[in-house]
Amino acid sequence: MSDNVRGALWMSLSMIGFVVNDTLMKAVADQVPLFQAILLRGLCATVLIVLLAWQRGALSYRPRGTDRGQIAWRTVGEVGATCFFLTALFNMPIANAVAIIQAASLGVTLAAALVLGDPVGWRRYTAIAVGFLGVLLIVRPGTEGFNIYSLSALVAVGFIVMRDITTRRLSRAVPGLLVTVITSVSITLAGLLATLAIGWQPVDMETLVYLVAASGFLLVGYYAGVEAMRVGDVGAVSPFRYSNLLWALILGFLVFGDLPDLMTWAGAGIIVATGLYTLHREQIRGGSAR
């Protein structure tokens, strides 16, 4: 089995982990408040991630110089993305929320050009514009099918772009697991502070089991994603990120009985197609501006 095939399998497993986590979180939406769910899931996930980071020796590294600031801003992006995405997920079909999030890859390409000076030519700018039209087909502002929580998913896209751009600015010496630990702790603390402000609600055993399971699948998503990028070429592995939309469609139907309408299917298809095209242009041009 080639490295790229192994990388593709790892990435597919990562996407399954994230979508199952999302499904479990959405399943408890009626039983526990959002931030309390984030807190309880975060406590379990943090313990697991800290143990893994300790086993890999990542906790002994001390970030220096600009890396500290980049980690801080990346953490803000991750916390914001988590809170706004889960707000959307708790209040709209999982496939719709995940489809909107797919636009993050287009946003990262645009931000990399505007902020980092990456060369992006007219073809990729056109693909980005078409991709965001796909987002509009899903969100449909001002129409009967509009869901206000779609805007929360769009805000999450903005925070994801912020997270990924700051991640690109980190030096290679910073262990990925250390960044994951900092992120997990920060998200958990955000859930704790919000829960203290709002108040605690009793949690039954079934809900707690769902949240513990969600933390496990979240760790699978993180770990498999790291392994995917280590063993395979970026160009060969990255397209499999879009498999999370397929799993979201399947689990959304099987668990919640949600089936996207034609406009959502069309919008999701446009987002995925343009995302794959921008990745393709980046690979074949090797960063040229055309």
Side-chain angles (χ1 to χ4, degrees), residues 125-239:
Y125 276 125
T126 302
I128 290 169
V130 173
F132 283 116
L133 288 177
V135 174
L136 290 178
L137 285 179
I138 300 173
V139 176
R140 279 167 277 176
T143 67
E144 185 178 345
F146 174 67
N147 184 328
I148 187 65
Y149 293 103
S150 298
L151 299 181
S152 183
L154 283 175
V155 174
V157 168
F159 277 110
I160 291 172
V161 172
M162 175 183 176
R163 177 200 68 190
D164 288 355
I165 290 297
T166 52
T167 300
R168 287 185 56 175
R169 288 180 164 180
L170 286 173
S171 66
R172 293 184 179 273
V174 180
L177 277 173
L178 175 63
V179 177
T180 303
V181 168
I182 294 171
T183 298
S184 184
V185 170
S186 300
I187 292 172
T188 304
L189 288 175
L192 173 61
L193 292 175
T195 299
L196 290 175
I198 298 172
W200 180 270
Q201 291 191 17
V203 179
D204 59 41
M205 183 56 65
E206 181 180 359
T207 299
L208 188 59
V209 169
Y210 274 45
L211 291 171
V212 171
S215 69
F217 280 103
L218 185 64
L219 179 59
V220 169
Y222 280 131
Y223 180 79
V226 171
E227 291 300 313
M229 302 309 292
R230 282 180 171 173
V231 303
D233 297 331
V234 173
V237 171
S238 293

Side-chain angles (χ1 to χ4, degrees), residues 32-113:
V32 62
L34 169 64
F35 288 105
Q36 191 172 323
I38 291 174
L39 169 61
L40 292 172
R41 183 192 68 170
L43 288 172
C44 299
T46 298
V47 170
L48 294 173
I49 292 170
V50 166
L51 289 174
L52 180 61
W54 175 76
Q55 189 269 333
R56 294 290 184 90
L59 298 180
S60 61
Y61 183 84
R62 296 294 179 269
R64 300 176 180 86
T66 59
D67 282 336
R68 293 180 179 179
Q70 297 304 324
I71 290 174
W73 282 113
R74 185 194 183 281
T75 301
V76 172
E78 190 77 78
V79 171
T82 299
C83 294
F84 280 97
F85 174 69
L86 288 179
T87 297
L89 184 68
F90 273 37
N91 295 280
M92 63 188 299
I94 184 173
N96 293 49
V98 170
I100 294 173
I101 290 296
Q102 303 308 306
S105 62
L106 300 172
V108 170
T109 300
L110 179 60

